[in-house]
Amino acid sequence: MSDSQKPDSRKTVGETLIDLLEANGVEVVFGIPGVHTVELYRGLAGSNIRHITPRHEQGAGFMADGYARVSGKPGVCLVITGPGLTNIITPMAQAFQDSVPMLVISGVNARATLGHGRGRLHELPDQRGMMATLALMSHTLHNPEDLPAVMDRAFAILGSGRPGPVHIEIPTDVMAMKISAPHLKPAAKTRPRADADTIEKAATRCLAAQKPVILVGGGAVDASEKILALAERLDAPLVTTTNARGAFSKSPLSVPASPSLKSVRELIAASDLVLAFGTQMGQTDYDMYADNGFPALKNLIRIDIDPAQLARGPDAALSILSSAENAVTDLLAATGAGNRPQTSGAERAETTRQAAWAELTPKMQVEIGIIEKIRDTLPGAIIVGDSTQAVYAGNLYYEAGRPYGWFNAATGYGALGYGPPAAIGAAIAEPDAPVICITGDGGFQFTLAEIGAAKDVGANVIFLVWNNDGYQEIETYMVENGIEPEGVKPSAPDFLKVAEAFGLPAKRLAHVDELAVALMAFRGHDGPSLIEIHQTGTVGATV
């Protein structure tokens, strides 16, 4: 048989892309196919990868975000060039701020057309340059044979350092080109680890401390069991940021309250050692009210996977470049096997919890009580929030019942409309867990159409609409600052009729006491459902 008669064992770039995604453990992709990406779909139907179709590329990105947080795997999106990519920029920015691993694979116009500005469909002046401003890596695949190496680099970045969004764009003329089948293997991942001398210095400070406290951010949740063991050894209260809530829910050392609160700051200021794991120490967690009241820390040991983050401050007595898992493993070994004498850590934590609760307004306490009712009614629940007043209250004080049981977009980038699609992604990642999305009547309308995506995939999400007839948080802020409210009363649809239109069961609560029964009823339903709490129309929803 001549060479021309031999069957072609090569695959297209699109087919090989799917093979490489599978080799790196990808089980789900989120995307909306278009003319500029159909060749990337050529091998998808025959693979083991599940495709989820949102109603908007913004929904795809937020679904990928929620999926990644709960599954621990990168959220992967396929989007078209131009508007598909610009639509997903907001979720990528949210993922960047919250350190969520996201791989966005987009099309781009044919190589010969790039940079000429000749009015091609979906053309941007410099698409890759635009994405490079917010992606950890942005690469244009000019040479089809480079695909395996580019994918290897992408997954190495996603799994080694501080997570975030990665972007790969494939020109339309490259997608259908055939290349030799690569050796399929997962990308190598290497997480930083501190040297023994640095760990010894940290251990010496830990053992000398009489009143230590530990700050834990979202980047350290995967190491929570070992961090708890270290906290018990040092008898140190554990202060968790929004993205770490629930990591220590059964521990008397847990302080599930914001470092923006005066009482939590007093706990931290009175400590003789502050050990910070995987926390950005950014404004939305540590200085929510922008009062510059977070205390200066004289004996801060800061552990972070990102050297740039360590350099940004606050100033630390000792900065440790390491993953949280590696650092706490080494600190446990270096601090010895036995527990130190108790230094009233649990008492300090309890005092702070009580003082933090007392700082909250009665309205906030009511809202948190409703969130706690959800947690207690549905053990193991994942509560995904949007930027709405009840969620803001929960970020100030709420103990989730499990790790990754509380996250939202009311910190960091703060994108409205995040909650509904992110909750769908969470339900896809963990289909047996109860998932509740708390969203406002205003924010829900940003991504309301994603109810259809939830219905399509049978996502077990209970959409809890907290209806306060507009953007009440902003209206209150305007009034408090002497500004006549304007633009804060967008009309809302009848959410129960919207649910009915999509075939979802729904209930509007007359009294908050009906919540537990409604939650249990919809928990037994296969697929999404909706509950509405009206801040003034539902008795008990506010003071």
Side-chain angles (χ1 to χ4, degrees), residues 56-82:
H56 190 281
E57 287 89 359
Q58 180 171 276
F62 287 147
M63 287 179 196
D65 179 303
Y67 174 85
R69 294 187 198 231
V70 174
S71 71
K73 298 181 178 182
V76 180
C77 301
L78 294 177
V79 299
I80 65 167
T81 184

Side-chain angles (χ1 to χ4, degrees), residues 382-404:
I382 299 169
I383 302 178
V384 183
D386 215 80
S387 295
T388 192
Q389 288 191 319
V391 171
Y392 287 123
N395 285 349
L396 283 174
Y397 191 109
Y398 170 66
E399 182 72 282
R402 50 163 287 176
Y404 301 111

Side-chain angles (χ1 to χ4, degrees), residues 177-406:
M177 291 181 175
K178 290 191 173 183
I179 61 174
S180 301
H183 176 58
L184 298 176
K185 60 178 179 59
K189 303 176 183 67
T190 305
R191 294 190 175 273
R193 189 168 213 141
D195 61 86
D197 182 59
T198 300
I199 292 296
E200 187 60 38
K201 289 178 181 177
T204 299
R205 288 177 180 268
C206 288
L207 293 173
Q210 296 300 307
K211 297 174 68 177
V213 67
I214 299 177
L215 309 179
V216 183
V221 177
D222 286 344
S224 58
E225 290 187 11
K226 291 181 179 178
I227 292 174
L228 177 58
L230 180 64
E232 290 172 344
R233 180 172 297 174
L234 301 179
D235 197 29
L238 289 153
V239 176
T240 45
T241 66
T242 295
N243 287 329
R245 296 288 172 77
F248 313 104
S249 60
K250 295 178 174 59
S251 173
L253 293 170
S254 178
V255 180
S258 171
S260 295
L261 293 173
K262 179 182 176 182
S263 52
V264 180
R265 290 174 170 182
E266 289 175 348
L267 168 71
I268 295 168
S271 300
D272 58 0
L273 173 73
V274 178
L275 187 59
F277 282 96
T279 172
Q280 188 181 30
M281 301 189 78
Q283 183 188 38
T284 52
D285 272 313
Y286 288 82
D287 194 17
M288 181 184 295
Y289 299 109
D291 60 8
N292 296 314
F294 188 75
L297 305 177
K298 296 179 181 178
N299 195 15
L300 169 64
I301 299 176
R302 191 169 180 198
I303 297 159
D304 203 278
I305 202 169
D306 182 5
Q309 198 61 52
L310 290 172
R312 291 187 183 109
D315 292 336
L318 183 62
S319 295
I320 301 178
L321 179 62
S322 174
S323 70
E325 175 73 25
N326 287 341
V328 71
T329 298
D330 295 341
L331 280 171
L332 282 170
T335 53
N339 288 349
R340 300 167 65 242
Q342 296 297 294
T343 56
S344 69
E347 180 181 340
R348 289 191 292 142
E350 173 63 18
T351 298
T352 304
R353 287 194 297 268
Q354 292 182 10
W357 180 258
E359 282 187 61
L360 306 175
T361 66
K363 178 178 179 294
M364 290 176 178
Q365 292 177 352
V366 168
E367 292 165 346
I368 295 167
I370 293 172
I371 296 169
E372 291 174 338
K373 174 65 73 174
I374 298 170
R375 176 199 64 197
D376 297 341
T377 302
L378 301 176
I382 299 169
I383 302 178
V384 183
D386 215 80
S387 295
T388 192
Q389 288 191 319
V391 171
Y392 287 123
N395 285 349
L396 283 174
Y397 191 109
Y398 170 66
E399 182 72 282
R402 50 163 287 176
Y404 301 111
W406 174 261

